């Protein structure tokens, strides 16, 4: 639908038998190709960029203006609170969550962090390795268990200082009712962090409270999953939190005064962005946000979900396919995890790539405890190379591409022994 917006799709790749084909990229949950407009913006901005807020030159002034404007664009995109929130640019979602886990220490003192069993390791380990952490379980389909959520909220009433939860799972694509959960956590005096790495590129999001929506305290996401390049992550949260204490990386850009014996920190967000910042990354993100806004996040969501619905419906009719998610149209982004009975996930992913130029991802997707549950692996037991194959759509994927996938999955499913034999040198077990 939005195919010609995206850069680099016309590249031909050789397949096994030397037939060239245009690659089909169904691995958008890992990262997305950049928009053409983003590449153009990078090219036209490159002669102008300079170190920000430091030089007096014209180029430095332009760069500083663009960088500051990018913060406003990001805050508008997620409807953050202009009076109270600050937008911090870091490297990626992982770095953002780690920063928050360091800076929020005082707030968590004496209490617990509540998270879930469906988190990416980036929203699990920064909490689990630093604080007493409890978990909301998932149900047998892999959705967040609302029953267990209520149980945990009751059991730890008054102790939950932070709920750290993903907006959408990078494995199943299930979304969580973040505003309802925010209300329940706020009622107990806690705060909520939404890991938006998967949600923000695919679904409209509103951080600010309204009559029907409870506000989100902290939000993180990554530009490289939103049609902008690698190297830019966003952390949004109340400025107040970052005004207190010391940043975990002191150095250039974080201070307003240093003498032999004293240090005075500058204000957030600069206080949290040690060293020379990634101006180009912020400019690129701001440009990709403009394109997403002009298309409309509701339209994107709708298009991608229809494509997902179409694909899942067809996959359900193919023998030997095991799906690890359901057609939950209202609570889902465009991700489909599956396996084919009898073919190890890494071989299936390789077959798709080598035979038809279809890129997917396989394995545990940096969410091992969640994948272990989806595969019914007992907690803490060791299984050699467990995993799933994941299809994840971007806004530029087409129905024709899905048809190619479906035809080929049908063919594999009827010739499992043939394909296993052909790729047997890749079998590890
Ligand atoms: N959270 C989720 C839900 C993700 O899908 C990812 C990326 N796969 C991350 C966090 C980490 O993002 P990044 O690699 O950009 O730090």
């Amino acid at each position: 639908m939005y195919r010609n917006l995206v850069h680099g799709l016309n590249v031909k790749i050789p397949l096994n038998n030397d037939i060239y084909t245009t690659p089909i990229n169904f691995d958008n949950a890992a990262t997305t190709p950049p928009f053409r407009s983003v590449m153009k913006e990078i090219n036209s901005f490159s002669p102008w960029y300079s170190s920000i807020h430091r030089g007096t030159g014209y180029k430095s002034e332009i760069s500083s203006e663009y960088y500051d404007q990018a913060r406003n664009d990001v805050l508008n995109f997620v409807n953050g609170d202009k009076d109270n929130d600050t937008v911090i640019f870091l490297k990626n979602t992982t770095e953002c969550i780690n920063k928050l886990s360091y800076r929020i220490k005082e707030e968590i003192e004496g209490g617990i962090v509540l998270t879930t069993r469906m988190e990416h390791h980036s929203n699990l380990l920064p909490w689990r390795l630093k604080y007493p952490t409890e978990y909301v379980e998932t149900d047998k389909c892999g959705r967040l268990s609302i029953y267990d959520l209520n149980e945990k909220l009751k059991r730890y009433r008054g102790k939950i200082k932070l709920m750290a939860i993903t907006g959408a799972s990078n494995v199943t694509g299930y979304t969580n009712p973040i505003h309802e959960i925010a209300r329940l956590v706020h009622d107990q005096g806690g705060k909520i962090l939404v890991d938006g790495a998967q949600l923000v590129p695919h679904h409209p999001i509103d951080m600010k409270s309204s009559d029907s929506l409870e506000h989100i305290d902290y939000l993180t996401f990554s530009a490289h999953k939103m049609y902008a390049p690698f190297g830019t992550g966003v952390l949004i949260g109340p400025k107040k939190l970052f005004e207190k204490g010391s940043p975990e990386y002191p150095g250039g850009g974080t201070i307003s005064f240093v003498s032999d014996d004293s240090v005075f920190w500058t204000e957030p967000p600069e206080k949290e962005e040690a060293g020379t910042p990634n101006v180009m990354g912020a400019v690129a993100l701001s440009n990709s946000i403009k394109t997403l806004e002009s298309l409309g996040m509701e339209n994107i969501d709708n298009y991608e979900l229809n494509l997902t619905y179409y694909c899942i419906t067809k996959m359900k009719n193919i023998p030997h396919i095991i799906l690890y998610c359901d057609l939950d149209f209202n609570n889902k982004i465009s991700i489909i995890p599956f396996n084919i009975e009898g073919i190890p996930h890494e071989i299936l992913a390789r077959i798709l790539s080598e035979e038809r130029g279809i890129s997917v991802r396989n394995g545990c997707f940096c969410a091992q405890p969640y994948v272990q549950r989806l595969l019914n692996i007992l907690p803490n037991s060791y299984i050699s190379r467990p995993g799933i194959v994941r299809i994840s759509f971007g806004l530029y994927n087409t129905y024709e591409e899905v048809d190619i996938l479906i035809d080929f999955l049908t063919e594999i499913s009827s010739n499992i022994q043939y394909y296993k034999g052909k790729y047997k040198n890749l079998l590890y077990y």
Side-chain angles (χ1 to χ4, degrees):
M1 181 184 182
Y2 306 114
R3 200 165 175 76
N4 57 5
L5 291 171
V6 181
H7 184 79
L9 284 180
N10 296 325
V11 180
K12 298 270 182 193
I13 55 156
L15 297 179
N16 255 353
N17 44 6
D18 272 348
I19 295 170
Y20 281 75
T21 185
T22 308
I24 295 178
N25 184 33
F26 288 157
D27 191 17
N28 295 282
T31 199
T32 49
F35 283 137
R36 287 178 198 279
S37 57
V38 167
M39 301 307 287
K40 248 168 89 184
E41 177 78 356
I42 289 174
N43 275 333
S44 57
F45 184 63
S46 54
W48 296 103
Y49 83 80
S50 169
S51 194
I52 61 156
H53 296 310
R54 288 173 203 181
T56 49
Y58 187 58
K59 290 200 333 174
S60 176
E61 277 171 28
I62 290 187
S63 289
S64 305
E65 208 176 301
Y66 269 72
Y67 193 67
D68 292 339
Q69 185 54 42
R71 294 195 208 277
N72 295 336
D73 295 341
V74 165
L75 204 59
N76 280 334
F77 183 59
V78 297
N79 197 21
D81 181 340
K82 289 191 189 66
D83 297 325
N84 298 305
D85 283 342
T86 187
V87 175
I88 300 166
F89 285 128
L90 298 168
K91 201 166 64 195
N92 49 37
T93 299
T94 306
E95 192 178 42
C96 291
I97 297 175
N98 274 283
K99 170 174 283 288
L100 185 65
S101 73
Y102 177 88
R103 298 292 276 118
I104 205 170
K105 203 166 163 196
E106 227 175 82
E107 276 70 15
I108 293 177
E109 200 73 36
I112 65 156
V113 175
L114 184 62
T115 183
T116 82
R117 295 292 190 193
M118 65 196 291
E119 300 306 315
H120 189 282
H121 299 157
S122 295
N123 196 30
L124 177 68
L125 299 180
W127 307 114
R128 179 169 121 183
L129 299 179
K130 286 195 194 72
Y131 302 110
T133 300
E134 295 295 337
Y135 306 88
V136 179
E137 297 294 334
T138 48
D139 65 19
K140 65 179 190 329
C141 303
R143 290 192 194 85
L144 190 75
S145 161
I146 300 300
Y147 170 81
D148 196 53
L149 171 71
N150 288 321
E151 285 295 300
K152 298 285 156 66
L153 287 170
K154 236 187 287 164
R155 187 179 310 164
Y156 301 110
R157 186 156 190 89
K159 285 186 116 356
I160 301 163
K161 304 294 181 183
L162 183 78
M163 171 96 212
I165 186 167
T166 192
S169 158
N170 64 316
V171 180
T172 50
Y174 291 138
T175 56
N176 286 319
I178 50 175
H179 294 284
E180 284 88 334
I181 295 173
R183 179 154 310 190
L184 295 169
V185 172
H186 288 157
D187 283 349
Q188 303 199 5
K191 300 262 193 288
I192 186 167
L193 157 71
V194 172
D195 169 357
Q198 295 297 336
L199 186 69
V200 173
H202 301 283
H203 193 76
I205 180 158
D206 227 326
M207 280 189 80
K208 219 158 68 183
S209 58
S210 65
D211 289 345
S212 56
L213 298 180
E214 183 75 6
H215 74 275
I216 303 301
D217 302 285
Y218 303 98
L219 178 69
T220 62
F221 49 95
S222 294
H224 71 91
K225 296 181 196 283
M226 305 171 61
Y227 309 95
F230 299 107
T232 308
V234 176
L235 170 59
I236 305 177
K239 196 170 175 184
K240 266 201 327 260
L241 180 101
F242 300 98
E243 280 166 350
K244 293 184 289 184
S246 322
E248 78 277 32
Y249 287 119
T254 65
I255 48 94
S256 65
F257 178 80
V258 182
S259 68
D260 285 355
D261 300 318
S262 57
V263 178
F264 290 90
W265 304 113
T266 188
E267 294 285 305
E270 287 81 6
K271 179 182 174 187
E272 305 298 333
E273 296 173 352
T276 306
N278 178 5
V279 182
M280 204 59 133
V283 169
L285 173 60
S286 150
N287 188 278
S288 77
I289 281 177
K290 279 183 196 128
T291 304
L292 292 171
E293 282 175 334
S294 71
L295 299 170
M297 288 309 294
E298 302 256 0
N299 296 333
I300 293 169
D301 194 20
N302 212 17
Y303 175 74
E304 291 179 349
L305 279 179
N306 276 301
L307 197 62
T308 308
Y309 189 89
Y310 177 78
C311 188
I312 293 183
T313 309
K314 299 222 161 204
M315 286 174 81
K316 280 191 160 177
N317 294 326
I318 303 175
H320 308 298
I321 285 200
I322 307 162
L323 282 162
Y324 298 96
C325 68
D326 214 346
L327 278 174
D328 192 344
F329 212 79
N330 294 322
N331 302 298
K332 194 156 162 53
I333 57 161
S334 49
I335 290 179
I336 307 173
F338 76 104
N339 268 320
I340 290 187
E341 264 165 1
I343 307 189
H345 58 95
E346 58 260 76
I347 304 236
L348 180 55
R350 184 63 78 88
I351 293 170
L352 291 170
S353 167
E354 304 237 333
E355 303 275 336
R356 292 292 186 279
I358 300 172
S359 302
V360 292
R361 176 130 179 234
N362 70 287
C364 293
F365 320 107
C366 300
Q368 292 188 20
Y370 187 36
V371 170
Q372 285 153 12
R373 281 167 174 77
L374 292 170
L375 293 175
N376 288 320
I377 297 171
L378 290 174
N380 296 320
S381 60
Y382 179 77
I383 300 271
S384 173
R385 310 180 88 87
I388 295 175
V389 177
R390 178 183 74 185
I391 298 163
S392 55
F393 298 127
L395 53 79
Y396 60 91
N397 288 128
T398 65
Y399 284 81
E400 290 74 26
E401 289 177 332
V402 172
D403 286 340
I404 293 171
L405 172 78
I406 295 296
D407 285 351
F408 190 46
L409 289 177
T410 309
E411 186 187 323
I412 299 171
S413 154
S414 337
N415 296 287
I416 290 176
Q417 292 315 322
Y418 165 76
Y419 281 107
K420 261 179 93 168
K422 187 167 175 189
Y423 287 87
K424 69 174 182 299
N425 59 327
L426 298 176
L427 280 173
Y428 302 102
Y429 47 88

